[in-house]
């Protein structure tokens, strides 16, 4: 730098770079409440690839994994997030948000008004055992040495067997703390747990369905003779709670924004979500992954969330006791 | 055989080799920059891989992942600052060698060990392919628990002559790892109501604070005449490489550790490195004149370097066999599996066998290419070792600050960096083992999780499992041997602990207070969330209490020990300078943006060192340009909007002035 003018110009260029590096990019982050490699993670990564085309200014979208407590950790972060400009989208299963809001309202606390964009898939209420599992009927699971595998207590992998345990009065154990679907099914294959409910294995060859918790209440049982849970619950009030549990447990890959996000931002994302679902390039990529696809709109999720928030106290108490 | 031929023909396609080369070059760059590592690189490359065919995608990703632990050696040896967490162990002996002018020998040995280790890992993966699933499925959670606990034995090795301090540091590391929302109940543990801490302490920032910052301070503390005194030469580098080959037994032993422990999900590279280092440090040297471990012993470089490259093959074993990722970067690789329609498990050994074999080939080729590039370019980079501290330190301070900010793009990153660096500096000055703290930090959550799962899934008592029984047996043997050594005191290499000083007691007292505070805070949590951290607190309180007691006993009836390491006479200027540099750089990131921050930090430091302004600003310009390429062009980092680009100043003006 031989002259002060050159030095000045170079400094000005650097300041410009600094300003540009902070101001020019309009980035969006999708935070996923589970580790990489799971279904939610793949939904998020495909959305990050295709969603920008349907958003104003086509912002670059990045995926960040924030696993912990079956998605509850990220939910807590979303509930307390300060950014309301749509720069961060949160993704967990719907059941994590719904279970939490029921606990909050039961404790007399205000329910955080999450702003839902939409869901990509639906979790199944199927229970899986090893392909050579001896379980062939409901009586086979009523033992204290039967173990169900689950991740966090907020996860559907826990709430489903917990509800079954409450209704059947069964003494079986629920092992919590597995890091995700892959680890759950690895434990199932190793024989460390006997059943895994609410999550599907990536490869079904080593496993078989041993039951389904919910079924249209037509009295039918599954192919191995285990009655659907809904068919066992005879109390109408209990049945109503179970139906709600079933509906709120289904949506997975649910994207939402923090409370107080303005309507305009939410609507922009919902429109983009609708356009994404119809996009042939997105559909082709999704088909290659072979993961399930059953989208639910943000409006539907918001209605369901509102229903959960406004449960009457008796139902709320029943819900909590079933999923304890 | 058909699958091998198919894989070979796919791998040698020009597009795949190009992608592999791109991945390797990117991985080498990622490895050299302190603060960013393999996960950062994998996150960046993953979206690019979607558009590629599966072979090209995995060539790119595995090419990158295989070599970050090769190039991270360069800053570790030359500057004493690890490029990634995988090079922390290499600093211990590599940097003292560089100070003796043997940086080329150290780098040559490190690269050759990395190459052989990497090839060994690939070979292990290849040889295990037919039995991959049965082997992994035969291991129960309790076995994983036992393997993780085995890592703790080596705390004794990295603790130096005072095991009590090692235990206290280990427990403190464990306690720090429990900060955040607990994984089972989502209860807040030790977060002090700071939302930033819900996600725990970011490991990258903790390790930068724990190892990089104190090393920079120690660089400043040394007189310039003892810094480096030799010219770099390619001959010396090849000499080092040949020496590594002569130590093939060490490479083999460490590679086995890397690939076997790498196959245990959740056990990070830090544990693998310290384990390999610890095993070697415990062995008696063939050459009685060789330097001690920690003072520039070549074996201390060869062991961790071969282990941390062998681990990649190990990581892939559970990832491919059962879809449980062996490491965070493998978890990202699993996403690529799903995006490309691949399912881990039996199909990887049947219909997708050519892809699985291609993984082995990609790892092997990446290691050869990565080592070759390092050997070619490192002799030029070794000139970095001859740069004066006034040039390297401000650049390192800037890069570390920018690197720390990668964790969460939050002001909390900076606060954690400063807090951990302060703690680490105190530990360094008082000769407490930082390595033990790092092991506790990495292993704490993994052991907690496996412990709970093992408790819930093991039929009968845990001790009935052969792995646990063996663990207890080994533990007893280690304890008995340690006691016998202390009694006989005839082992020349078993140094006696230095007499504890009052500053040790002061630090132990702070730890004791922290443990008691944590215990009372944890008491309000559900039992799943409090059990393990509470046990660690009790251990920490016990160890810290014993240290205090020991000081009390040793000082009773005698004059207080004057601690020459800290106190009024100590020169604290280097510490102040480094911390001021970090603070200034961070404040400027928010005020003017990251690159003006680097420019200003390096210029001011240059001026303070007595450089003419034009030289200082030239260096600063180069540093800022380098940072821009790394963090913006390659890294696409989200920086906060600088204050000067907002309407902040405009808002300060009166309304009529704004209108004008």
């Amino acid at each position: 730098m031989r002259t002060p003018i050159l030095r000045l110009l170079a400094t000005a260029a650097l300041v410009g770079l600094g300003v540009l590096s902070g101001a020019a990019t309009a980035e969006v982050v999708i935070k996923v409440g589970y580790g990489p490699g799971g279904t939610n993670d793949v939904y998020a990564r495909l959305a990050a690839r295709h969603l920008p085309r349907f958003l104003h200014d086509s912002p670059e979208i990045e995926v960040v994994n924030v696993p912990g407590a079956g998605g509850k950790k990220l939910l807590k972060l979303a509930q307390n997030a300060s950014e309301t400009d749509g720069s961060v989208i949160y993704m967990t299963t719907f059941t994590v948000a719904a279970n939490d809001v029921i606990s909050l309202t039961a404790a007399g606390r205000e329910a955080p008004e999450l702003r839902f964009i939409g869901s990509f898939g639906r979790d199944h209420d199927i229970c899986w055992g090893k392909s050579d599992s001896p379980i062939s009927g409901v009586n086979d699971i009523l033992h204290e040495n039967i173990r169900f595998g689950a991740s966090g207590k907020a996860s559907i992998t826990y709430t489903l067997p917990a509800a079954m345990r409450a209704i059947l009065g069964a003494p079986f154990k629920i092992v919590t703390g597995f890091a995700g679907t892959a680890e759950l099914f690895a434990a199932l294959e190793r024989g460390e747990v006997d059943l895994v409910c609410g999550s599907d294995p990536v490869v079904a060859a080593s496993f078989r369905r041993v039951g389904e918790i919910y079924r249209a209440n037509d009295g039918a049982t599954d192919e191995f003779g285990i009655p659907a849970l809904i068919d066992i619950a005879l109390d109408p009030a209990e049945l109503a709670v179970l139906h709600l549990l079933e509906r709120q447990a289904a949506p997975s890959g649910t994207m939402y924004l923090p409370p107080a996000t303005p309507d305009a931002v939410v609507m922009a994302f919902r429109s983009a979500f609708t356009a994404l679902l119809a996009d042939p390039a997105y559909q082709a990529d999704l088909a290659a992954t072979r993961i399930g696809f059953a989208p639910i709109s943000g409006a539907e999720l918001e209605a369901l969330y509102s229903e959960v928030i406004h449960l009457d106290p008796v139902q709320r108490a029943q819900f909590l006791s079933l999923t304890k | 055989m058909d699958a091998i031929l198919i894989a070979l023909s796919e791998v040698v396609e020009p597009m795949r080799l190009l992608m592999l080369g791109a991945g390797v070059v990117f991985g080498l760059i990622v490895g050299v920059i302190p603060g960013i590592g393999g996960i950062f690189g994998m996150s960046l490359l993953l979206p690019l891989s979607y558009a590629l065919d599966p072979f090209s995608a995995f060539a790119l990703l595995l090419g990158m992942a295989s070599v970050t632990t090769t190039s991270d050696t360069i800053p570790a040896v030359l500057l004493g600052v690890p490029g990634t967490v995988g090079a922390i162990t290499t600093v211990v002996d590599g940097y003292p060698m560089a100070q003796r002018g043997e940086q080329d020998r150290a780098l040559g040995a490190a690269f050759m060990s990395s190459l052989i280790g990497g090839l060994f890992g690939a070979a292990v993966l290849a040889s295990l392919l037919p039995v991959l699933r049965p082997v992994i499925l035969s291991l129960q959670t309790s076995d994983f628990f036992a393997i993780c606990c085995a890592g703790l034995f080596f705390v004794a090795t990295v603790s130096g002559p005072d095991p009590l301090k090692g235990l206290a540091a280990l427990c403190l590391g464990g306690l720090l790892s429990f900060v955040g929302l607990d994984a089972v109940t989502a209860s807040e543990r030790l977060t002090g109501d700071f939302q930033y801490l819900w996600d725990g302490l970011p490991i990258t920032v903790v390790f930068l604070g724990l190892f990089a910052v104190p090393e920079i301070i120690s660089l400043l503390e040394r007189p310039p005449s003892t810094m480096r005194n030799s010219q770099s030469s390619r001959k010396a580098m090849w000499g080092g490489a040949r020496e590594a080959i002569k130590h093939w037994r060490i490479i083999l032993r460490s590679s086995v550790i890397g690939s076997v422990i790498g196959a245990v999900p959740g056990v990070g590279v830090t544990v693998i490195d310290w384990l390999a280092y610890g095993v070697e440090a415990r062995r008696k040297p063939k050459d009685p004149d060789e330097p001690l471990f920690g003072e520039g012993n070549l074996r201390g470089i060869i062991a961790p370097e071969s282990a941390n490259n062998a681990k990649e093959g190990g990581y892939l074993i559970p990832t491919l066999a059962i879809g449980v990722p062996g490491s965070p970067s493998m978890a990202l690789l699993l996403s690529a599996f799903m995006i490309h329609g691949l399912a881990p498990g039996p199909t990887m050994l049947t219909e997708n066998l050519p892809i699985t074999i291609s993984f082995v080939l990609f790892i092997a080729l990446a290691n050869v290419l990565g080592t070759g590039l390092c050997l070619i370019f490192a002799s030029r980079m070794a000139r970095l070792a001859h740069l004066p501290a006034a040039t390297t330190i401000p650049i390192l301070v800037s890069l570390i600050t920018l690197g720390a900010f990668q964790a969460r793009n939050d002001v909390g990153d900076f606060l954690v960096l400063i807090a951990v660096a302060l703690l680490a500096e105190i530990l360094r000055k008082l000769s407490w083992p930082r390595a033990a703290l790092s092991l506790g930090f990495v292993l704490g959550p993994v052991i907690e999780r496996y412990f709970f799962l093992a408790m819930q899934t093991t039929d009968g008592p845990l001790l009935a499992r052969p792995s646990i029984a063996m663990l207890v047996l080994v533990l007893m043997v280690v304890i008995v041997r340690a006691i016998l050594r202390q009694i006989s005191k005839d082992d020349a290499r078993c140094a006696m602990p230095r007499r504890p000083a009052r500053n040790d007691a002061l630090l132990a007292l702070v730890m004791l207070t922290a443990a008691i505070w944590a215990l009372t805070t944890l008491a309000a949590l559900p039992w799943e969330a409090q059990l393990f951290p509470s046990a660690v607190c009790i251990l920490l309180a016990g160890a810290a209490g014993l240290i205090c007691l020991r000081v009390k006993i040793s000082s009773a009836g005698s004059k207080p020990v004057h601690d020459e390491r800290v106190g009024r006479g100590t020169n604290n200027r280097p510490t102040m300078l480094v911390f001021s540099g970090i603070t200034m750089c961070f404040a400027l990131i928010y005020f003017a943006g990251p690159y003006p921050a680097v420019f200003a930090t390096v210029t001011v430091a240059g001026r303070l060192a007595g450089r003419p302004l034009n030289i200082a600003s030239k260096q600063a310009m180069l540093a800022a340009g380098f940072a821009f390429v790394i963090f913006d062009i390659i890294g696409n980092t989200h920086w906060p909007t600088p204050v000067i680009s907002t309407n902040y100043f405009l808002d300060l003006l009166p309304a009529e002035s704004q209108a004008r």
Side-chain angles (χ1 to χ4, degrees):
Chain A
M1 229 49 63
R2 299 203 183 279
T3 66
I5 295 171
L6 271 178
R7 207 155 49 223
L8 194 71
L9 280 175
T11 311
L14 266 174
V15 172
L17 266 181
V19 170
L20 283 174
S21 64
T25 48
E27 306 288 346
V28 174
V29 174
I30 301 180
K31 290 189 174 178
V32 186
Y34 313 93
T39 315
N40 282 277
D41 180 60
V42 174
Y43 284 138
R45 288 182 191 279
L46 288 183
R49 189 176 180 199
H50 295 281
L51 198 61
R53 286 185 282 124
F54 307 107
L55 289 168
H56 181 60
D57 279 348
S58 303
E60 201 165 303
I61 301 184
E62 189 191 349
V63 176
V64 175
N65 298 88
V66 188
K72 202 170 169 183
K73 184 169 165 178
L74 183 67
L75 174 78
K76 274 196 167 192
L77 288 167
Q79 288 168 345
N80 293 278
S82 54
E83 80 284 327
T84 55
D85 56 354
S87 57
V88 183
I89 299 172
Y90 297 83
M91 182 188 275
T92 61
T93 57
F94 183 80
T95 188
V96 176
N99 281 0
D100 189 70
V101 86
I102 290 173
S103 304
L104 286 176
T105 47
R109 289 167 64 186
E110 199 181 332
E113 299 272 358
L114 297 173
R115 310 302 313 270
F116 292 94
I117 298 170
S119 267
F120 288 102
R122 286 172 200 262
D123 274 332
H124 296 113
D125 55 337
I126 296 166
C127 293
W128 295 85
K130 266 175 88 170
S131 48
D132 57 354
S133 168
I135 294 170
S136 60
V138 71
N139 289 331
D140 294 331
I141 62 170
L142 299 178
H143 300 295
E144 58 187 21
N145 55 350
I146 290 287
R147 285 190 287 247
F148 283 70
S151 47
K153 285 194 172 175
S155 147
I156 182 177
T157 55
Y158 180 84
T159 54
L160 287 181
M164 197 193 286
R165 184 167 62 179
I167 287 172
L168 295 175
F172 57 71
K173 292 176 195 154
I174 305 173
V175 178
T176 52
F178 290 102
T181 305
E183 208 170 89
L184 273 170
F185 281 94
L188 184 59
E189 206 166 356
R190 285 197 294 259
E192 290 186 299
V193 296
D194 304 289
L195 292 156
V196 173
C197 299
S199 185
D200 295 340
V202 178
V203 181
S206 311
F207 311 100
R208 71 173 176 83
R209 288 172 45 165
V210 293
E212 194 161 343
I213 293 188
Y214 307 109
R215 182 70 68 86
N217 53 349
D218 56 2
T221 59
D222 86 321
E223 64 260 48
F224 293 102
I226 297 180
L229 193 62
I230 280 178
D231 299 330
I232 299 169
L234 299 175
D235 175 3
E238 208 167 47
L239 201 62
V241 173
L242 276 174
H243 275 301
L244 179 67
L245 184 63
E246 176 193 8
R247 284 191 297 135
Q248 65 88 32
S252 69
T254 304
M255 295 196 293
Y256 46 86
L257 298 162
T261 303
D263 282 343
V265 176
V266 178
M267 291 309 153
F269 275 110
R270 283 187 183 174
S271 306
F273 177 71
T274 310
L276 172 77
L277 299 180
D279 179 45
Y282 171 73
Q283 288 172 349
D285 268 6
L286 190 71
T289 66
R290 293 185 239 172
I291 59 172
F293 183 54
I296 304 171
S297 73
E300 282 177 84
L301 293 170
E302 205 150 284
L304 182 55
Y305 190 67
S306 172
E307 195 183 329
V308 171
I309 290 175
H310 298 107
L311 273 180
D312 71 66
V314 177
Q315 275 190 314
R316 197 182 291 142
Q318 267 184 317
F319 187 100
L320 287 173
S321 111
L322 277 181
T323 55
K324 201 165 78 177
Chain B
M1 196 61 188
D2 285 350
I4 296 172
L5 289 175
I6 294 169
L8 263 173
S9 65
E10 294 286 355
V11 167
V12 296
E13 286 270 318
M15 179 63 178
R16 277 74 191 252
L17 292 176
L18 188 72
M19 285 298 123
L20 183 76
V24 167
V25 170
F26 185 69
L28 292 176
I29 294 171
V30 164
V32 169
I33 312 295
I36 59 177
I39 303 165
F40 170 85
M42 193 70 96
S43 313
L44 288 180
L45 292 187
L46 192 60
L48 301 180
S49 73
Y50 297 164
L52 302 170
D53 67 274
F55 285 99
S56 303
F58 291 112
L60 182 74
L61 297 172
L62 285 172
M64 194 283 304
S66 302
V67 297
T68 48
T69 47
T70 304
S71 62
D72 63 358
T73 312
I74 296 171
V77 170
L78 300 181
L79 304 168
V81 176
T84 70
V85 291
I88 287 165
T89 326
T90 312
V91 174
V92 179
D93 284 281
Y95 187 58
M97 283 185 75
Q99 286 182 297
R100 293 201 304 260
E102 294 179 272
Q103 65 271 18
D104 300 293
R105 182 175 163 235
L107 285 175
F111 294 148
M112 186 49 72
S113 312
S114 295
L115 171 65
I116 302 175
L119 292 176
F120 184 89
V124 167
L125 177 64
S127 60
L128 279 181
L129 278 180
V131 288
L132 217 56
R133 275 174 62 77
V135 165
I136 282 294
L137 290 173
S138 68
L139 292 172
Q140 303 266 311
T141 310
S142 50
D143 303 319
F144 291 145
F145 171 68
I147 293 171
C148 291
C149 286
L152 294 181
F153 291 149
F154 290 89
V155 168
T157 313
V158 297
S159 291
D162 196 338
L164 211 50
K165 282 185 183 176
L167 179 64
L170 174 83
C171 294
L172 185 65
L175 198 58
L176 290 176
S177 76
F178 297 131
V179 171
L181 297 184
D182 111 275
V184 176
T185 63
S187 308
E188 283 183 52
R189 285 200 302 206
L190 310 169
T191 58
D193 285 336
F194 288 108
Q195 198 178 323
Y196 172 86
L197 294 175
W198 283 6
D199 226 2
L201 295 169
I203 188 164
T204 330
V205 183
V206 169
F207 277 67
L208 281 175
L210 206 51
F211 294 100
V213 177
E215 291 309 325
I216 290 176
I217 296 170
S218 76
L219 260 176
L220 269 179
E221 284 171 348
R222 294 185 187 110
S225 57
T226 66
M227 290 291 283
R228 290 113 184 167
N229 50 16
S230 85
Q231 292 301 308
S232 57
S233 83
R234 199 165 282 176
K235 199 176 160 189
M237 200 168 281
W238 284 107
R242 275 195 298 273
E243 276 187 81
I245 295 171
K246 278 184 199 160
H247 285 102
W248 62 272
R249 281 196 181 88
I250 300 176
I251 297 182
L252 193 68
R253 225 173 2 248
S254 307
S255 301
V256 169
I257 291 173
S259 44
V260 170
I261 305 295
V264 179
V267 180
V269 64
T270 321
V271 180
I272 291 169
D273 276 353
W274 283 121
L275 213 60
Y277 184 87
V279 166
E280 226 37 63
R282 297 181 80 85
R283 297 182 78 85
K284 284 198 172 163
K286 280 186 181 167
D287 174 9
D289 297 329
E290 73 173 30
L292 289 173
F293 271 74
E295 294 177 11
N297 189 315
L298 197 67
R299 290 192 293 138
I301 296 175
I302 293 171
E305 282 303 316
S306 35
N308 66 29
N309 274 56
K311 73 173 191 320
E312 216 61 36
Y315 280 168
L316 267 171
I317 291 171
T319 313
L320 287 171
I322 53 174
V324 174
S327 70
S329 54
M330 284 298 129
L332 286 165
L333 198 77
L334 265 184
S335 287
F337 270 60
M338 293 187 77
I339 300 271
H340 288 284
L342 298 170
T347 55
M348 294 308 291
L349 301 174
T350 51
E351 59 192 271
N352 294 321
L353 186 60
I355 292 184
T356 309
I357 294 171
S358 76
F359 288 180
V360 177
L361 297 172
F362 285 140
I363 291 176
L365 284 174
N367 273 288
V368 173
L369 186 59
T371 307
L373 287 173
C374 280
L375 282 168
I376 291 167
F377 291 108
S379 60
R380 290 184 185 177
M381 292 188 81
R383 290 176 195 157
L384 278 175
H386 304 295
L387 288 175
T391 303
T392 52
I393 287 173
I395 296 174
L396 283 173
V397 163
S398 306
L399 288 180
I400 283 171
T401 313
L402 263 59
F405 201 73
Q406 302 293 307
R408 292 182 200 156
N409 296 4
D410 193 292
V411 71
D413 298 333
F414 166 69
L415 296 175
V416 171
L417 178 72
I418 290 284
V420 176
L422 262 176
L423 171 70
E425 184 53 13
I426 294 169
L427 294 177
R428 183 179 74 88
K429 288 233 160 101
L430 297 178
S431 310
W432 285 53
R434 285 174 286 153
L437 194 147
S438 75
L439 275 179
F441 187 78
V442 172
L443 281 174
V446 187
I447 291 182
E448 182 190 31
R449 197 165 69 80
Y450 282 140
F451 171 76
F452 272 114
L453 286 174
M455 286 286 287
Q456 295 176 88
T457 56
T458 306
D459 296 313
L462 265 181
L463 266 173
R465 279 291 296 175
S467 58
I468 306 275
M470 194 186 288
L471 177 83
V472 174
L473 195 72
V474 172
L475 178 65
M476 284 165 69
V477 170
V478 169
I479 290 171
V480 170
R481 275 189 62 184
I483 292 169
L484 288 176
R485 261 190 197 186
Q486 288 286 329
I487 292 168
S488 65
K489 287 180 192 171
D490 58 356
D491 189 338
R493 296 183 78 83
C494 178
M496 284 301 290
R498 200 185 54 81
R499 193 175 159 194
R502 286 202 172 157
N503 284 320
D504 290 316
L506 204 62
L507 181 59
L509 200 63
V510 173
M511 288 186 182
L512 182 65
T513 315
I516 292 168
W517 170 80
L519 261 179
T520 51
T521 311
L522 289 164
L525 301 180
W527 73 272
E528 299 102 316
Q530 64 161 290
L531 180 69
F532 218 79
S534 299
V536 171
C537 281
I538 291 167
L539 264 177
L540 173 60
L546 279 174
I547 292 170
C548 291
L549 201 67
R550 204 170 60 181
V551 174
K552 174 87 180 150
I553 293 167
S554 66
S555 62
S558 66
K559 281 177 75 176
V561 177
H562 172 67
D563 193 345
E564 72 287 354
R565 299 162 298 173
V566 281
R568 275 183 210 151
T570 317
N571 177 15
N572 288 325
R573 192 164 178 267
T575 313
M576 296 301 294
L577 276 176
V578 170
F579 278 92
S580 307
I582 294 173
T583 310
M584 174 185 163
C585 189
F586 207 88
L588 281 172
I589 288 173
Y590 274 91
F591 182 75
Y595 311 112
V598 174
F599 179 79
T601 309
V602 178
T603 307
V604 170
R607 292 293 295 146
L608 283 175
R611 292 273 159 80
L613 183 61
N614 61 338
I615 304 275
S617 56
K618 245 187 213 172
Q619 286 173 349
M621 192 68 73
L622 280 173
F626 179 69
F628 178 70
V629 171
I630 296 297
F631 291 105
D632 257 56
I633 294 182
I634 299 176
N636 196 19
T637 306
H638 309 160
W639 300 107
T641 307
V643 172
I644 55 168
S645 76
T646 61
N647 290 333
Y648 181 77
F649 292 110
L650 201 62
D651 292 344
L652 293 178
L653 295 171
E656 58 271 25
S657 305
Q658 288 184 33
R660 247 183 278 137

